[in-house]
Amino acid sequence: MSQSPCPPIRDAEWPESISEMRSGFAGQLNVYRTMAHHPALLQSWAPLRQHLVKDSALGPVRSEVVILRTGHRLGSHYEWAHHVSRARTLGFTDERISAIAAMPEGEDGLLVKAVDALFDLHRIPAELEAELAAVIGRQAVFDLIATVGFYIVLGGILMTYETPVDDAVASELAAAPISPPA
C-alpha cells in the first residue's frame, strides 16, 4: 500500500470552512475525513447522505443488502467491512451476509439482482423494475438506484485514496471475521 495523498484529516487539520461538520457524521468516519480534503463536496454530500442513509424508502435492512452487494461488486474492503458491522447491528447473520456476496434467495436475491443489473447493464430492466416496484414500492426502487450510485462514488474515493477501515470496525472484524469481497 502506498502513501495516500489524501489520508483522513485529523482534528487539528480540519478545514475551518466546514468546522461545524467535524462534530457530526463527517468527523466520525475515515471516509468523510478523507472527503474533507474537498470541503465543498463534503458539504454538498451531506443532504443526499441524510436521505440515503437515514430517510431512504428502502429502510435500513434493505439498504444494507444493497450496500453490501455494492461494496462486494466494487471490491471495496472499507465498504464491505463497515457494512458487515452495520448489518450485524441490524441483526443480520453472517450466513445472510455471505449469501449477499453470492446469490441469496427471496427478497435479498431480488435486491441483489437489481444491484447487479446496475453494474452490468447500467439500468434495471423493465421486468425486474416492475417486480421490484411490486415488492418494495417505486420510491424504494429510485432509492435503490441512488444508493448504488452513492456507494460507487464513495467506493471510488475510498479505493483511490486507500482510506483505512476505522479502528473500531477493524477490531470488530478481527475478533469476528467474515470474508471480504473477492
Side-chain angles (χ1 to χ4, degrees):
M1 201 183 245
S2 62
Q3 181 67 23
S4 174
C6 296
I9 291 179
R10 296 179 301 210
D11 286 351
E13 300 155 346
W14 193 265
E16 182 61 34
S17 63
I18 55 169
S19 62
E20 74 286 352
M21 295 183 80
R22 191 182 76 202
S23 62
F25 79 92
Q28 296 173 12
L29 296 173
N30 285 341
V31 60
Y32 298 116
R33 286 181 170 274
T34 298
M35 286 182 76
H37 285 276
H38 190 336
L41 176 62
L42 181 56
Q43 202 163 35
S44 296
W45 194 260
L48 183 57
R49 177 208 169 267
Q50 175 65 33
H51 177 79
L52 294 175
V53 173
K54 302 289 186 185
D55 304 327
S56 171
L58 285 168
V61 171
R62 289 176 176 148
S63 289
E64 278 312 305
V65 173
V66 170
I67 297 164
L68 281 165
R69 184 60 173 199
T70 301
H72 169 70
R73 287 295 306 261
L74 284 172
S76 172
H77 180 67
Y78 184 102
E79 290 299 350
W80 179 257
H82 277 260
H83 289 280
V84 163
S85 176
R86 194 161 141 195
R88 285 173 169 167
T89 299
L90 288 170
F92 284 48
T93 64
D94 284 358
E95 292 76 20
R96 183 178 184 188
I97 294 167
S98 294
I100 291 165
M103 182 50 74
E105 296 182 7
E107 186 178 291
D108 285 0
L110 182 63
L111 297 170
V112 162
K113 286 176 189 172
V115 172
D116 287 355
L118 290 167
F119 271 86
D120 299 337
L121 306 172
H122 311 289
R123 65 184 184 86
I124 298 174
E127 185 176 301
L128 179 55
E129 191 283 338
E131 185 178 359
L132 277 167
V135 173
I136 67 174
R138 182 132 301 122
Q139 287 187 349
V141 175
F142 272 95
D143 282 346
L144 183 152
I145 295 165
T147 299
V148 171
F150 182 90
Y151 280 92
I152 286 173
V153 172
L154 279 182
I157 290 168
L158 291 162
M159 293 187 296
T160 296
Y161 295 113
E162 300 176 349
T163 303
V165 172
D166 293 86
D167 292 342
V169 172
S171 294
E172 175 190 335
L173 291 184
I178 188 168
S179 298

